[in-house]
Amino acid sequence: MFENYEKAGKIASRLRKEASKKAVAGTKVVDLIDYIEGEILATGAGIAFPFNVSINNMAAHYTSAPGDDTLLCNGDLVKLDLGAEVDGYIADTAVSIIVEGENKDIVDENGKKLKQPGRLDDGNPEVTTEELELSQDLIEASSAGLEAAISLIKPGITLGEVGTVIEKTINDKGYKPIANLTGHSLEQWELHAGLSVPNIADKNDHVLKEGDHLAIEPFATNGVGLVKDVPQHYIYKYLRNVPLRQPQSKKLLKRIATKHTYLPFARRWFLDQYNEHELNRNLRPLITSRAIYPYNALQEKSGCRIAQTEHTIIIESDGCFVTTR
Ligand code: MN
Ligand code: MN
């Protein structure tokens, strides 16, 4: 078991580093995602959840939908959050980067201009020095929060104490953690296995013990420190089998129940069998009948930028081992 955690951790860590190098201005988000997910599979490991590439004020649960033509833009603050599993043992890790390189106006084969959210946020094609400094500060604050938590964690520490050190570290840098996003425990084939690891001072007195397997993920912002759901969803989880009238939806649910029984999946992963329109039509009854759960994408409530840093750890007798270092 430990070996599999470690193996998954090494794969996730290597690809997180590779993704940060590849995330340059002009890169199509879906190309980066397809490449990294392909590399995870090429190692023989599984994809623990769709590769999340959340830009600027998007916090999490964003991955490309079919037909996504978003481009990374110079100055974008991008959260690269990915996961690998080996025999169901999961490594979940994230880093935030500032996109560098020359912005280009890129048009598709029909002459349509491709989206560049960094520019569209405020309508300004150039990122300012202040914006760059802010993004860098947010990255440092979330990363310092994570390191403070890792230094503290050992058997006997409570989850509340972990949240307290994360909040204090981020506050000391002049920013706020996101109060309604947390880290989580992990179990075999279970990405969110019951425990929440708070990013704020919290009364949670659950005591950590040797062998616990956790993902710690502080988010830092200059905004109000909360995220809200946006209506769009890109990532889903199988819940249960339900009777369905439409044969095509039935067939889709069968595939999901077989191939994605335990771990989250993206709509993109079904384009081998359906076009975008068919897929959305067949997926809708699965959501309304609660056969699958849609994760709405999450955005900072006041529209401000967010940075995230995440590692997966295993608690040892005298501290913790970071599997995704
Ligand atoms: Mn993650
Ligand atoms: Mn996580």
Side-chain angles (χ1 to χ4, degrees):
M1 172 185 98
F2 184 81
E3 264 166 43
N4 288 336
Y5 275 142
E6 209 180 2
K7 213 166 153 188
K10 279 195 178 138
I11 293 163
S13 159
R14 177 173 67 79
L15 291 169
R16 182 194 67 227
K17 288 167 195 161
E18 197 170 345
S20 0
K21 282 192 207 128
K22 287 197 172 283
V24 294
T27 303
K28 218 169 162 180
V29 171
V30 70
D31 291 344
L32 178 66
I33 290 176
D34 281 346
Y35 173 77
I36 293 294
E37 289 183 351
E39 288 292 294
I40 295 175
L41 294 175
T43 66
I47 301 170
F49 53 85
F51 179 20
N52 284 229
V53 178
S54 306
I55 302 172
N56 297 335
N57 61 18
M58 293 298 288
H61 297 172
Y62 180 83
T63 193
S64 286
D68 182 15
D69 52 15
T70 305
L71 291 172
L72 294 178
C73 179
N74 182 279
D76 279 346
L77 171 56
V78 179
K79 286 132 291 227
L80 303 165
D81 189 343
L82 60 98
E85 58 80 12
V86 175
D87 192 30
Y89 295 102
I90 298 166
D92 178 3
T93 185
V95 68
S96 296
I97 57 135
I98 300 171
V99 174
E100 292 178 357
E102 194 89 359
N103 284 334
K104 292 175 243 136
D105 280 333
I106 299 183
V107 291
D108 67 13
E109 55 272 25
N110 307 314
K112 188 183 143 214
K113 224 179 190 179
L114 300 187
K115 276 183 283 179
Q116 300 190 52
R119 296 197 214 186
L120 297 177
D121 271 358
D122 57 4
N124 183 351
E126 300 300 328
V127 62
T128 65
T129 314
E130 290 76 37
E131 284 168 330
L132 281 179
E133 280 172 7
L134 169 65
S135 295
Q136 194 55 50
D137 281 359
L138 293 175
I139 292 172
E140 279 166 26
S142 78
S143 162
L146 175 61
E147 291 308 324
I150 288 171
S151 303
L152 176 77
I153 290 175
K154 61 180 180 188
I157 294 286
T158 67
L159 285 173
E161 288 171 307
V162 177
T164 302
V165 78
I166 290 173
E167 178 164 33
K168 184 175 181 328
T169 307
I170 293 174
N171 284 166
D172 285 351
K173 303 252 178 206
Y175 300 102
K176 280 187 185 169
I178 300 289
N180 58 348
L181 281 178
T182 67
H184 45 97
S185 54
L186 299 140
E187 298 283 351
Q188 190 182 22
W189 297 112
E190 247 183 298
L191 182 57
H192 290 242
L195 294 180
S196 292
V197 184
N199 288 319
I200 52 165
D202 185 289
K203 299 237 172 356
N204 192 331
D205 59 3
H206 177 91
V207 177
L208 296 172
K209 59 176 196 312
E210 190 174 348
D212 282 349
H213 185 214
L214 301 172
I216 320 279
E217 48 184 313
F219 293 77
T221 183
N222 61 325
V224 292
L226 290 168
V227 288
K228 60 172 187 192
D229 281 2
V230 301
Q232 293 81 6
H233 35 78
Y234 309 94
I235 298 172
Y236 308 83
K237 187 183 175 352
Y238 173 70
L239 295 177
R240 62 198 174 109
N241 192 21
V242 296
L244 292 162
R245 227 173 301 132
Q246 305 86 335
Q248 281 302 318
S249 289
K250 215 181 254 186
K251 196 173 146 215
L252 178 60
L253 182 57
K254 197 172 173 199
R255 173 167 165 184
I256 291 168
T258 314
K259 302 256 182 201
H260 309 290
T261 325
Y262 305 112
L263 296 171
F265 59 90
R267 263 185 282 157
R268 261 181 301 112
W269 294 356
F270 300 90
L271 292 176
D272 59 332
Q273 234 177 340
Y274 305 90
N275 66 38
E276 190 181 336
H277 176 73
E278 287 165 349
L279 180 60
N280 291 341
R281 193 182 56 213
N282 296 327
L283 204 64
R284 219 165 292 128
L286 274 51
I287 300 171
T288 51
S289 64
R290 304 214 169 107
I292 65 170
Y293 176 83
Y295 292 95
N296 288 77
L298 299 168
Q299 196 174 45
E300 210 281 329
K301 209 172 174 182
S302 51
C304 291
R305 291 188 170 207
I306 298 183
Q308 172 208 18
T309 319
E310 179 174 23
H311 275 308
T312 294
I313 62 155
I314 298 170
I315 302 185
E316 296 183 318
S317 61
D318 55 351
C320 67
F321 173 73
V322 180
T323 69
T324 48
R325 189 63 87 187

